[in-house]
Structures are given as C-alpha cells and as structure tokens.
C-alpha cells in the first residue's frame, strides 16, 4: 500500500469532512484532525492487511471501494461487507487490541486517510463524540450482521437479495427506481452467502413476477418497491 505520509490538511480535508466519524466536529477541529492523517493509495486487488496481521491504523476510504473478506474452511473467499467513500476500517483492533480475523482488499483503485491508533486514541480523549460515533457504527454493523445471520439460517436467499437491493443508492427513472450493482454478480453472491447460480435464479424470479427488470450490464429497475419490501420478510 502506497503511503505518502503527507499531512492530509491540503489534499484530504474532504475525506475528513465526509466521514460520519468526524462530522460532529467543528470545521476547525476537522482541520486539526486532518493534520494527523496520512494519505494512502492502493491499486485494484492490493491487500490493505491480512487476517492475523498487526494492524494499528484506522483507514478511512476517500475514493474507491474496499472489500472485507474471510476464507472459509473450504478455502473459499466470503465477502463480509464492502466499504465505499466515508466508511472506515480498523476500529476493531483499536477498540479490542486484537489482531484482525479478516482480510481487507481494494476492489478498485482507492485512496484513504490513515490514522495511527495512537493518534486516534488522543482524538477520542479530546473529542468524545468520535468515540460515540464509532460505537454507533459498530452497533449498526452488529445489527446488520444479526439480521443477515437470521436470513442465512432461514435459508431465504430472496429476503437477503431484497434487503440488499433496497440498501443500494437509487435514482428515479420514468418507469421505476434504478439501482446499479456496484460490483460483479459473483461478488454480490458471496456477500449474500449464496451462489452465482442462485442469485441469477432470484433475479429472474423478480423479473418474471414484474417486481424488477434488468437494464444494461449492472442496472436493475425496481418496478414495484412495495412488493420488493414485502420480500425482505423471510418466508
């Protein structure tokens, strides 16, 4: 991972300002936070860190996307979540002191603001709102994980796909609500704990039932958002 170790004040103010973790701070305090960050750039496929590694940094995604994965007992990669601009990773090691049990890898060229844990600890002491927002994000991730686990146990791929589609950024078009898949369908299948074949079958069912239709390589127009919402409840 390329690390220019340049203060982030000039080049990454936007990174600091757009992160929910720091949005409770005044602009002056955000500028002070930015001086503690270094700027890192990674290429597609480059690993930020591996399971078991010594990770002592909080990484905030500025541009691009990063996937968090684990390797199952059969050696297959399982995507746990995907981080976009404004999201952060590395807070678990900061909060618990334990080494990560997952891998973090760039899905596309990405840039990040990087904070040493020692600097982050000082920031939390000086600005308790940072610690509170960090705990709020961890709580949201836990709730999402519990919901996803319940759907996996139920074996209901339909509800997992419906929840995922409703979580994507939307744009209104003439005949419905457009969403764009942010990654390859094989990666979406991994994120949803299913197979690419099962995902394809579920997408075909949505089209056959008139709930959605595909458009372009990665587009999907939701024609009946209420019906899709109903599908989030496991059968």
């Amino acid at each position: 991972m390329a690390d220019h170790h340049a203060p982030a004040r000039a080049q990454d103010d936007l990174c600091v300002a757009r992160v929910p973790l720091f949005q409770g701070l005044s602009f002056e305090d955000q500028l002070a936070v930015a001086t503690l960050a270094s700027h890192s750039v990674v290429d597609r496929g480059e690993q930020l860190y591996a399971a078991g590694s010594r990770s002592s940094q909080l990484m905030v995604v500025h541009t691009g996307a990063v996937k968090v994965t684990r390797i199952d007992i059969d050696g297959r990669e399982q995507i746990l979540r995907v981080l976009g601009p404004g999201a952060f990773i590395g807070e678990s090691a900061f909060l618990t002191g334990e080494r990560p049990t997952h891998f973090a890898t760039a899905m596309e060229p990405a840039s990040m603001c990087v904070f040493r844990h020692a600097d982050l600890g000082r920031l939390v002491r000086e600005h308790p709102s940072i610690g509170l927002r960090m705990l709020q994000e961890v709580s949201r991730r836990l709730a999402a994980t519990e919901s996803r686990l319940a759907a996996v146990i139920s074996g209901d791929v339909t509800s997992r796909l419906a929840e995922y589609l409703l979580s994507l950024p939307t744009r209104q078009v003439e005949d419905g609500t457009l969403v764009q898949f942010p990654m390859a369908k094989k990666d979406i299948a991994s994120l949803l704990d299913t197979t690419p074949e099962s995902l394809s079958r579920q997408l075909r069912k949505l089209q056959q039932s008139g709930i959605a239709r595909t458009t372009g390589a990665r587009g999907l127009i939701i024609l009946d958002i209420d019906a899709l919402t109903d599908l989030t409840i496991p059968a």
Side-chain angles (χ1 to χ4, degrees), residues 58-204:
L58 180 83
M59 303 175 188
V60 179
V61 180
H62 188 193
T63 62
V66 172
K67 63 179 178 180
V68 178
T69 63
R70 65 175 176 83
I71 305 299
D72 67 18
I73 58 175
D74 296 319
R76 294 185 297 247
E77 180 184 77
Q78 171 67 51
I79 297 179
L80 303 178
R81 63 183 185 275
V82 175
L83 309 178
F88 57 88
I89 193 171
E91 78 288 343
S92 294
F94 169 71
L95 293 171
T96 67
E98 297 178 356
R99 297 189 182 190
T101 58
H102 54 265
F103 299 79
T105 309
M107 299 186 74
E108 58 189 60
S111 63
M112 288 170 292
C113 297
V114 180
F115 297 86
R116 297 184 307 161
H117 281 176
D119 290 331
L120 183 61
R122 194 180 88 196
L123 288 172
V124 169
R125 289 191 297 271
E126 294 176 354
H127 305 285
S129 67
I130 294 176
L132 177 61
R133 287 174 181 268
M134 188 179 296
L135 290 174
Q136 289 172 336
E137 174 60 21
V138 171
S139 178
R140 281 192 290 269
R141 289 180 186 175
L142 178 59
T145 299
E146 290 176 343
S147 175
R148 180 175 166 189
L149 178 60
V152 170
I153 291 174
S154 74
D156 196 331
V157 179
T158 301
S159 64
R160 299 204 295 275
L161 175 59
E163 285 190 4
Y164 175 72
L165 293 176
L166 291 169
S167 74
L168 295 175
T170 62
R171 179 167 61 86
Q172 291 303 124
V173 293
E174 184 176 351
D175 54 348
T177 303
L178 175 67
V179 297
Q180 293 283 348
F181 294 126
M183 51 188 162
K185 290 180 181 176
K186 66 178 181 62
D187 292 327
I188 295 174
S190 176
L191 182 64
L192 298 179
D193 297 296
T194 189
T195 63
E197 294 78 15
S198 179
L199 176 63
S200 294
R201 285 195 298 270
Q202 292 297 324
L203 289 171
R204 283 197 299 270

Side-chain angles (χ1 to χ4, degrees), residues 9 13 16-17 22 24-35 123 127:
R9 181 186 184 111
D13 283 353
V16 170
F22 303 121
L25 304 180
S26 67
F27 179 68
E28 291 75 16
D29 285 340
Q30 287 180 351
L31 289 178
V33 168
T35 64
L123 288 172
H127 305 285

